[in-house]
Amino acid sequence: MSRAALLVLADGRFPAGGHAHSGGAEEAVKAGRITGAADLEEFCRGRLHTTGLVSAALSASAALGLDPLELDEAADARTPSAALRGAGRRLGRQMMRAARAAWPDPALDQLAAARPKGAHQPVVLGLAARAAGLGAQDAAYCSVYECVSGPATATVRLLSLDPFDATGVLARLAPELDLVACAAADAARCAVVDGVDALPAASAPLLEIGAEAHAGWPARLFAS
């Protein structure tokens, strides 16, 4: 196992397309739910313990070798918003391109062939982690970090928030990232025995509603 590979996969400069997405932060800023660092922290905390947990468990499951097509269907079932399903698949398609360039692997090729329009990003992330020689918990850590770092980075641009304040938010959330990553990896190990239906299905209805509203905007800075 290469810890350097984990750094490459988790690096915000890894060309997986995440920079074009705000994780719901753009809509929340416009709606007045994020006005500064304190609001951003609460937004990221809520996202982490709901959709973040779900995504991390899917990634960890893919890293453990569960059927990626079943996991992709499970991701669909856990994403009520059509806008978020579309965003997840676009991100998955971009992640696939980057992962196949970095860590060529037959499992990535097979999923790309089966889902030419893109599999959900957490599933591709987990397969990429597996191809890189990483484990379930590593994949979960990549997923939960992305879950909060994306909105934090986007809010710096949206509100001209001090980058030091955004970094402070991520640092304060670090203990919770540990807890959610461990819970996601544990859930994935249970799914090996009990099947993908045993994976978490936590929801964040306001994120789903906001994503649908955001998708209809005539002009926006971020894709989602």
Side-chain angles (χ1 to χ4, degrees):
M1 184 180 294
S2 170
R3 285 295 177 222
L6 176 59
L7 296 176
V8 172
L9 188 58
D11 192 337
R13 291 164 293 188
F14 188 71
H19 65 280
H21 295 259
S22 76
E26 184 169 24
E27 191 278 333
V29 166
K30 184 174 181 179
R33 292 192 298 276
I34 299 178
T35 60
D39 294 332
L40 173 62
E41 184 170 342
E42 289 308 305
F43 177 87
C44 288
R45 178 173 287 112
R47 182 172 160 80
L48 171 65
H49 288 281
T50 54
T51 59
L53 172 62
V54 171
S55 294
L58 290 165
S59 293
S61 297
L64 282 176
L66 274 73
D67 184 346
L69 295 180
E70 282 192 54
L71 292 172
D72 194 54
E73 291 174 0
D76 242 17
R78 287 161 173 75
T79 313
S81 163
L84 286 183
R85 289 197 301 273
R89 292 193 180 281
R90 290 193 297 275
L91 282 167
R93 188 165 61 244
Q94 182 69 16
M95 170 67 74
M96 180 67 77
R97 289 182 62 194
R100 292 171 81 184
W103 302 287
D105 186 89
L108 290 168
D109 296 339
Q110 289 164 12
L111 182 58
R115 294 286 189 271
K117 294 185 178 180
H120 280 281
Q121 190 266 2
V123 180
V124 182
L125 173 60
L127 277 189
R130 185 177 176 87
L134 300 171
Q137 194 151 331
D138 296 311
Y141 264 108
C142 286
S143 186
V144 296
Y145 180 70
E146 180 185 53
C147 168
V148 297
S149 63
T153 301
T155 302
V156 170
R157 296 173 62 187
L158 291 162
L159 289 177
S160 297
L161 184 70
D162 189 328
F164 293 102
D165 290 338
T167 300
V169 167
L170 298 179
R172 289 190 294 276
L173 288 172
E176 292 177 64
L177 289 169
D178 289 335
L179 292 174
V180 174
C182 289
D186 287 344
R189 295 184 190 102
C190 290
V192 172
V193 178
D194 299 327
V196 298
D197 286 346
L199 291 173
S203 64
L206 195 54
L207 281 178
E208 303 278 347
I209 294 167
E212 291 298 313
H214 183 268
W217 291 2
R220 54 185 186 264
L221 183 61
F222 292 94
S224 71

